[in-house]
Amino acid sequence: MTTADADGAPEAGPLEGVRVLDLAQGIAGPYAAKWLGSLGADVVKVEPPAGDPARLAGPFPGDESDPEASGLYLYLNTSKRGITLDLESEEGRGLLRDLAARADIVIESFAPGYLAGRGLDYEALRSQNPGLVLVSITPFGQSGPYAGTPAEEITLFALSGHMWLTGDPYRPPLKNGGSQPSYQAGLNALAAAIIAHFGSLMTGEGTHVDLSAQETLAGMLELYGPFASQAGIKPRRRGNTVSAIYGTYQCADGYAGVYCLPRNYENMARAVGIPELLEPPFIDADERLRSNDMLEALLSGWFFQHSGREIFEMGKSHRFPAGYVATVEDLLESEQLRERHFFAEDDHPLAGPVRFPGHLWLSSEYAWDTRRAPTLGEHTADVLTELGVSDERREQLRAGGALGGSDGS
Amino acid sequence: MSPARRPLEGIRVADLTAMWAGPYATMVLADFGADVIKVEAPRAWDNLRTLIRPPLALGEHWWNSNAYFQEYNRNKRSLTLDLTTERGKEIFGRLVAQSDVVIENFRADVMERLGIGPDWLREQREDIIVVGMASFGKTGPDASAMAYGPVVEQLSGLASLTGYGDGIPFKTGVSYGDPVAGVAAAAAVVTALIQRRRTGRGQVIDLAQREPMTTLIGEAFMEWAMNGRLMPHRGNESATMAPHNAYPCAGEDEWVAIAVGSDEEWAGLCSAMGEPGLIDDARFATAPARLDHREELDPIVAAWTATVSKDEAFERCRTRGVPAGPVWTIPEVLGDAHLEQRGYYEDAEHAEVGTWAMHGWLWRTTDAGPCVLAPAPDLGSHNREILGGLLGVSDEEMDTLAASGVIGDTPIGERTRSEIVGSRR
């Protein structure tokens, strides 16, 4: 799946030569490390002998659980090599120290104190590698009263204020879809790793990044956090509809939305084509708010007559912000995403053909490189050889339990 | 110990972004030490300054002091320059020549229409890093579509996964797509800086806000590829855990989220509820059994939570290793004891509104010191130091530019807070 330039020669990724150790499990850390790999870094994923728990999470082809065919794992661990190490063994810890001594970035998501308890805290790791960046991702950070408290997506969504703001005002607060707190922590960890690595390149000094999922979420409370703080405003969830021109409607084939600021209103009104929309009371922004229910009724009728795609196209041609609730199937068929080569493809030996998001942005200087996720311990032998561990020594380590199961060699 | 050097010190960003996504990106860059020069015009200022109007927006010059604008523009400098004028554009070119990065989140065609597209920018500085953040990107049949966060969320697939289970999709409370694109753009900028350091070359980044959003639902694409199924709305339920929900607590509209995966957590919850006997109930003995009996389980948990405050429910769960979280209101997030102890909120100060708290570091680094070194800049407040000090514009010419509205310190046509509030009486 390696992308190539027009001459067929692989392009150097922007992070070529950067070495990353991904000790993290689940979603957040692996998500960050996967993109570092796609950008050209050499990412070694270190799994415990039992494997990353994401291998057990699915989805699975035909719903048959298989640690080598978990959709979540396969998505989050592309463009990495995979090894197994038992950090509960002294020899496993020694190998990790050796790997960290050569790494630029280490990403981990253990509970606070886990690495320190094994002599692998930041001070220990940087003593042999002063430029090292360690990114620690946890639900609540390394310090403070909640540090070490277990968390799930829904509890982080609640503790960051987002759940209070999401959902129908007449129903309970609602968690948004998927695993957003973890993905959000992962995206922030990606930026954190890259920025800290740049700092290390400039000064020779690494740093320890303490990233709390709760804090990354609490930093994105739009106007609600700031106005609560400065002006004492107490917002509450408002469902899909803030006003008639800022909301979601049922359309002919599903749901569509128009999310206009006052300055977009007239363009929208022209597209809708109901003449009264361009007359009082609707033409004036303040009057319009006082006639909000009437406007909502008029727009409801219009939405119902059009498909989501038609409404989106009208937004395009008349220049107002309109969209529709797209499913992943819609996105896979999107001409726009196809033209931008957004999806990576893989014909996985166990999982079959899969297509999934393959980049975060496009650059004039490089293409994103997607390679399939490793099987458990697939590259243990290769990576240990690069460390100077002989085949014989490797077999001793394996026999002693430092490497866990098969290395695929 | 003095605070560590910020990693992006010495990097200059010419920042044309407005609203939330772009300014969020440059907030990250500014927090980590970049010299972010926010470029606006007296006739075309960042709409975030004036999106929420008085009386909610505080301060006489509310376009400078209101919290929404302040939060995401701290640590930046402000330069006004009307890019639709020849002179404004010419001075902007000089700024570009002394910048490492130019970033914008206009509609896809705006930079070219202003005559300041990538080719022009490279003429000003050969190794410039140019970042565009159009909603759907600069290329492709949908490039001309415009969108704010909720539309980006709809067209990223996330809205299709959010709902109570009755088929109605929901948006996330905030304009979720904006900060997602913003953090991704900050990562794109610094990746380009790393590459430039090696190759000496700049680059053009085309970041479609919808695309990083779409990467946050990877498993939904895998479910479609593997099983041909769309992931359903699960409300507050989980496919693998029960109990897993928002449960009502004592009081009105008070809730606690509780999520139990393992048997140990279940034992902890039984203890928290004061129902140790439930551990022996075969209906709930294993994770699969709890899932099968979730409709019996949820009322049992809810009957307990209804008798306690969300704080007490949280404490009783937390101290027993059970994942839980009170559904904090926004003022409660601001008062969260843990965030407080970590120093997450920092004081911001503006002469017109006094002191209030804004969030500091999105993530902490060794010896970082305080994050917020300066409040968001008043419109045009750094004109003199930037135009005079950096770009060689004489005082005399600055007066001429101000007279013609190319630069200025007031949004032309906007009213002060007392004028607005007075007119409503």
Side-chain angles (χ1 to χ4, degrees), chain A residues 31 172 183 229 236 319 365, chain B residues 107 164 201 215 219 253 357:
Chain A
Y31 174 89
Y183 273 108
S229 172
R236 198 172 171 278
R319 291 196 178 280
E365 285 289 294
Chain B
R107 225 172 37 223
Y164 290 92
R201 290 164 55 87
T215 71
E219 63 276 14
D253 208 13

Side-chain angles (χ1 to χ4, degrees), chain B residues 195-357:
Chain B
Q195 190 173 27
R196 189 186 70 175
R197 196 171 170 274
R198 199 176 64 240
T199 64
R201 290 164 55 87
Q203 60 186 268
V204 180
I205 302 282
D206 173 9
L207 185 147
Q209 294 187 30
R210 174 257 292 272
E211 290 173 3
M213 266 294 289
T214 305
T215 71
L216 305 186
I217 57 165
E219 63 276 14
F221 287 94
M222 294 310 227
E223 171 74 342
W224 177 259
M226 291 175 164
N227 297 310
R229 289 190 302 242
L230 297 173
M231 283 192 152
H233 296 169
R234 296 192 195 281
N236 291 324
E237 294 182 347
S238 152
T240 56
M241 285 181 258
H244 187 289
N245 219 327
Y247 298 93
C249 294
E252 197 183 327
D253 208 13
E254 301 275 314
W255 307 84
V256 64
I258 296 173
V260 169
S262 68
D263 295 343
E264 291 73 27
E265 288 165 359
W266 170 239
L269 181 61
C270 293
S271 160
M273 294 193 294
E275 299 274 3
L278 270 180
I279 300 172
D280 300 323
D281 192 321
R283 292 174 300 168
F284 312 130
T286 65
R290 289 190 290 277
L291 272 176
D292 284 346
H293 296 96
R294 86 164 103 215
E295 283 172 16
E296 295 151 77
L297 191 45
D298 270 345
I300 293 172
V301 179
W304 167 63
T305 56
T307 65
V308 292
S309 71
K310 63 188 174 193
D311 298 65
E312 186 182 346
F314 176 45
E315 273 313 296
R316 291 180 69 92
C317 287
R318 194 169 78 75
T319 49
R320 290 167 174 81
V322 180
V327 180
W328 285 149
T329 66
I330 304 309
E332 287 164 350
V333 177
L334 292 160
D336 178 275
H338 176 74
L339 294 176
E340 162 89 37
Q341 193 157 323
R342 278 173 62 80
Y344 179 66
Y345 289 103
E346 296 184 14
D347 279 348
E349 200 177 342
H350 188 282
E352 288 189 355
V353 289
T355 304
W356 75 102

Side-chain angles (χ1 to χ4, degrees), chain A residues 15-294:
Chain A
L15 300 184
E16 190 185 60
V18 178
R19 285 179 170 161
V20 179
L21 276 189
D22 174 16
L23 308 182
Q25 300 176 13
I27 292 176
Y31 174 89
K34 136 199 183 88
W35 296 122
L36 295 173
S38 282
L39 291 166
D42 174 16
V43 181
V44 173
K45 180 179 179 74
V46 180
E47 293 182 72
D52 181 340
R55 291 181 177 277
L56 307 177
F60 298 105
D63 297 323
E64 293 287 324
S65 181
D66 176 344
E68 295 300 354
S70 155
L72 184 68
Y73 182 89
L74 294 178
Y75 173 63
L76 292 171
N77 293 286
T78 49
S79 307
K80 302 175 188 179
R81 296 190 289 167
I83 71 171
T84 52
L85 281 186
D86 184 0
L87 299 185
E88 298 304 320
S89 80
E90 183 45 49
E91 284 165 324
R93 292 192 288 272
L95 289 168
L96 185 69
R97 268 186 221 103
D98 293 345
L99 285 166
R102 314 173 347 138
D104 299 291
I105 299 167
V106 176
I107 299 178
E108 63 98 4
S109 58
F110 295 109
Y114 176 91
L115 286 178
R118 283 153 189 76
L120 298 169
D121 54 307
Y122 181 61
E123 283 311 312
L125 296 179
R126 85 177 286 276
S127 66
Q128 32 179 358
N129 181 1
L132 180 70
V133 169
L134 174 64
V135 180
S136 294
I137 308 167
T138 51
F140 301 109
Q142 302 292 309
S143 65
Y146 305 168
T149 297
E152 297 290 346
E153 310 294 347
I154 190 173
T155 65
L156 286 167
F157 206 60
L159 275 159
S160 63
H162 287 274
M163 194 155 175
W164 175 257
L165 296 173
T166 302
D168 187 308
Y170 302 102
R171 290 201 265 182
L174 178 66
K175 172 189 163 296
N176 68 355
S179 299
Q180 296 308 310
S182 289
Y183 273 108
Q184 202 59 242
L187 178 64
N188 278 270
L190 173 68
I194 291 169
I195 292 171
H197 176 60
F198 181 74
S200 174
L201 289 175
M202 301 306 282
T203 65
E205 288 289 313
T207 194
H208 181 195
V209 172
D210 171 11
L211 188 143
S212 145
Q214 184 196 23
E215 288 176 353
T216 58
L217 288 166
M220 42 187 277
L221 289 171
E222 205 173 10
L223 67 159
Y224 304 107
F227 273 113
S229 172
Q230 191 190 60
I233 309 297
K234 295 178 179 168
R236 198 172 171 278
R237 60 192 172 278
R238 300 172 78 166
N240 281 320
T241 303
V242 172
S243 75
I245 64 166
Y246 204 86
T248 299
Y249 292 83
Q250 199 164 1
C251 65
D253 61 349
Y255 288 85
V258 57
Y259 286 89
C260 286
L261 299 182
R263 65 183 180 190
N264 309 122
Y265 175 76
E266 288 185 32
N267 284 350
M268 185 206 77
R270 279 190 204 96
V272 171
I274 303 172
E276 356 173 3
L277 295 189
L278 286 161
E279 291 163 15
F282 302 118
I283 195 66
D284 177 82
D286 291 332
E287 294 284 317
R288 189 158 66 230
L289 278 177
R290 286 191 274 276
S291 313
N292 194 59
D293 289 352
M294 222 180 350

